[in-house]
């Protein structure tokens, strides 16, 4: 899924039932089936995905990011990108760590402030962690949001884009 995903289509077990992942009740079943119609299929986070998110959130906190503040996430991302670009990628964290850190910070912000929750998402591009709405009619993959803008060198986008995502799927009062 996307530019910096951890798994690809070949890592996903095929199934004749495209709803297998959404309906899997067995503990520890972390497989996500591929929907041949092209719709994203979601499943619960496993221990590996949760550990990945926890590590990225710990790194974000270590560098001073407040995941409850879009201004903080945006400022720290922009600074990290500028430092990385100025050093030609040779100083500090690599692009993969920076993208993962800020994608996870954005995702956690969405999980806390909108009606979305973390899940494993598989689509025609592969498998990654993402956020799904309760009705599962929308899927947001933060690593795709950040990765695409990273490759284009965009800064200043986080507060506007993420606040829009919160507004279109607000947390119920």
């Amino acid at each position: 899924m996307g530019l910096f995903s951890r798994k690809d289509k070949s890592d996903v077990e095929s199934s004749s039932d495209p709803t297998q992942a959404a309906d899997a009740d067995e503990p520890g079943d972390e497989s996500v089936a591929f929907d041949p119609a092209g719709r994203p299929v979601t499943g619960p986070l496993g221990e590996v995905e949760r550990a990945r998110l926890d590590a990225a959130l710990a790194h974000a906190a270590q560098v001073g990011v407040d995941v409850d503040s879009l201004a903080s996430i945006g400022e720290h991302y922009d600074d990290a990108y500028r430092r990385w670009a100025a050093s030609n990628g040779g100083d500090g964290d690599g692009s993969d760590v920076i993208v993962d850190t800020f994608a996870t910070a954005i995702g956690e912000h969405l999980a806390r402030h909108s009606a979305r929750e973390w899940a494993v998402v598989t689509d025609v591009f592969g498998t990654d962690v993402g956020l799904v709405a309760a009705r599962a009619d929308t899927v947001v993959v933060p690593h795709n949001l950040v990765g695409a803008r990273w490759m284009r060198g965009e800064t200043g986008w986080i507060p506007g884009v993420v606040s829009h995502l919160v507004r279109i799927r607000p947390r119920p009062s």
Side-chain angles (χ1 to χ4, degrees), residues 2 21 31 34 46 65 76 84 86 89 95 99 107 113 115 123-124 128 130 135 143 152 158-159 161 170:
S31 65
F34 175 72
V65 176
H76 282 87
W84 180 87
S95 60
V99 168
H113 299 280
D123 67 8
V124 296
D128 204 347
R135 295 189 319 248
H143 288 82
R152 290 192 304 260
I158 289 176
V161 169

Side-chain angles (χ1 to χ4, degrees), residues 3-16:
L3 308 166
F4 295 93
S5 66
R6 301 292 186 213
K7 299 178 185 177
D8 64 23
K9 288 183 279 192
S10 64
D11 294 331
V12 179
E13 294 181 19
S14 64
S15 169
S16 60

Side-chain angles (χ1 to χ4, degrees), residues 63-137:
V63 297
V65 176
D66 174 3
V67 296
D68 290 310
S69 167
L70 290 178
S72 174
I73 298 169
E75 289 169 13
H76 282 87
Y77 170 84
D78 292 353
D79 289 345
Y81 180 82
R82 288 185 188 112
R83 280 193 313 276
W84 180 87
S87 71
N88 291 319
D91 187 28
D93 291 330
S95 60
D96 56 336
V97 172
I98 297 169
V99 168
D100 189 49
T101 298
F102 289 96
T104 304
I106 288 168
E108 187 64 18
H109 184 88
L110 291 170
R112 293 180 185 185
H113 299 280
S114 72
R116 294 180 177 89
E117 60 184 36
W118 284 108
V120 175
V121 178
T122 298
D123 67 8
V124 296
F125 300 107
T127 299
D128 204 347
V129 292
L131 293 109
V132 295
R135 295 189 319 248
D137 58 346

Side-chain angles (χ1 to χ4, degrees), residues 138-150:
T138 61
V139 173
V140 176
V141 181
H143 288 82
N144 290 354
L145 288 175
V146 177
R149 286 166 174 84
W150 177 271

